[in-house]
Amino acid sequence: MDSQDPVTVTEPRPGVLLITLNRPHVRNAIDQSLARVMDAALTRLETDSSLAVGILTGAGGHFCSGMDLKAFPTDGVPVVADRGLAGVTRARLRKPLIAAVEGAAVAGGFELALACDLITAADTAFFALPEVTRGLVAAEGGAIRLPGRLPYHVAMEMLLTAAPLPAPDAARYGLVNQLTGEGDAVHAALALADRVQAHSRDAVLVTKQIVQDTRGLDDHTAYTVQDPLSTPVFTAAAATEGAYAFTEKRPPAWQR
């Protein structure tokens, strides 16, 4: 562990940055101070060439209870620049980010998880968007992302009635990549991160960029966006090495 802050703990592993929200007394609710520090950690993930994957989790048995409502009346929504809640929900991170969810992932906390690329979750975890009960709306991606990731009527029940979604149900719908026992979500996320970073860095980054840049486009338009991104990958040395490694039945150079 190379840095510790009253509101976050960052821990670099080989190729991975583990970021832990550290306000367990309020289920890691996000105030402006946490938003700033989390944004700094994510900036480190993006700019440090030794890091390939980020993991976001919470201390004290919970992922995140969203925006700190005690601070909200005076401070408003905790945002960083134009990047949304805690600098994550509207960010366009190049590197993959995994949410490791224990306990509650609700409101802005669920929206943080939805903004990640992969999710591991304990079988005792749960997700919810209770903003309507507080006179608010799920404005940091919940109402945008959720209807495309769950069956429409399930998503609308969550958004309009604040019904919680237990992690086993979320896994059944494909919203969670890996379901674990209680306390094991981070371990599963680390294993998933190792699987991601076992591959060519450029291939991973460009694949994520293509997904981000083409979502919602018709096929014809999507190809015009994809091709300038994908063509350099096919002509790069890594692609040649990957082809040789396959034909020679050996690991590619980046795995050695």
Side-chain angles (χ1 to χ4, degrees), residues 2-256:
D2 71 343
S3 67
Q4 189 163 344
D5 184 275
V7 294
T8 64
V9 175
T10 57
E11 183 177 359
R13 306 286 184 95
V16 178
L17 186 64
L18 175 61
I19 304 167
T20 304
L21 311 185
N22 194 36
R23 301 186 74 213
H25 59 290
V26 288
R27 294 188 175 186
N28 303 310
I30 301 168
D31 61 4
Q32 189 61 50
S33 64
L34 176 54
R36 285 194 298 266
V37 177
M38 193 191 314
D39 185 63
L42 292 167
T43 298
R44 174 183 176 182
L45 171 65
E46 288 287 274
T47 58
D48 188 334
S49 61
S50 71
L51 299 171
V53 184
I55 295 174
L56 184 63
T57 193
H62 290 283
F63 181 68
C64 178
S65 61
M67 181 173 59
D68 190 333
L69 292 182
K70 290 185 178 179
F72 170 70
T74 55
D75 297 342
V77 177
V79 298
V80 180
D82 61 349
R83 295 188 294 280
L85 187 70
V88 179
T89 54
R90 304 189 191 196
R92 289 180 55 84
L93 299 177
R94 294 182 310 117
K95 297 179 182 177
L97 188 62
I98 303 171
V101 178
E102 299 277 352
V106 301
F110 188 16
E111 291 175 308
L112 290 182
L114 288 172
C116 293
D117 302 292
L118 302 163
I119 299 176
T120 64
D123 53 15
T124 52
F126 65 96
F127 305 90
L129 291 170
E131 280 86 345
V132 292
T133 67
R134 300 164 184 169
L136 302 169
V137 295
E140 287 304 326
I144 295 170
R145 295 183 172 106
L146 196 62
R149 302 187 190 183
L150 288 178
Y152 178 81
H153 295 97
V154 176
M156 293 307 291
E157 182 178 2
M158 293 187 71
L159 287 163
L160 301 180
T161 74
L165 182 69
D169 291 339
R172 179 165 57 89
Y173 288 126
L175 189 65
V176 168
N177 296 88
Q178 292 189 18
L179 195 65
T180 76
E182 187 172 2
D184 288 333
V186 169
H187 297 297
L190 287 167
L192 200 53
D194 285 343
R195 288 172 55 195
V196 171
Q197 66 171 330
H199 304 295
S200 159
R201 180 77 63 89
D202 286 344
V204 168
L205 295 179
V206 172
T207 296
K208 177 173 176 176
Q209 185 178 356
I210 290 170
V211 172
Q212 288 181 322
D213 290 356
T214 61
R215 289 185 69 186
L217 301 179
D218 64 86
D219 286 356
H220 176 76
T221 304
Y223 279 117
T224 66
V225 173
Q226 172 199 265
D227 290 349
L229 298 172
S230 62
T231 298
V233 175
F234 281 90
T235 58
T240 302
E241 164 61 13
Y244 278 132
F246 174 77
T247 58
E248 295 168 4
K249 298 181 179 180
R250 60 170 175 80
W254 55 80
Q255 290 185 3
R256 300 199 297 267

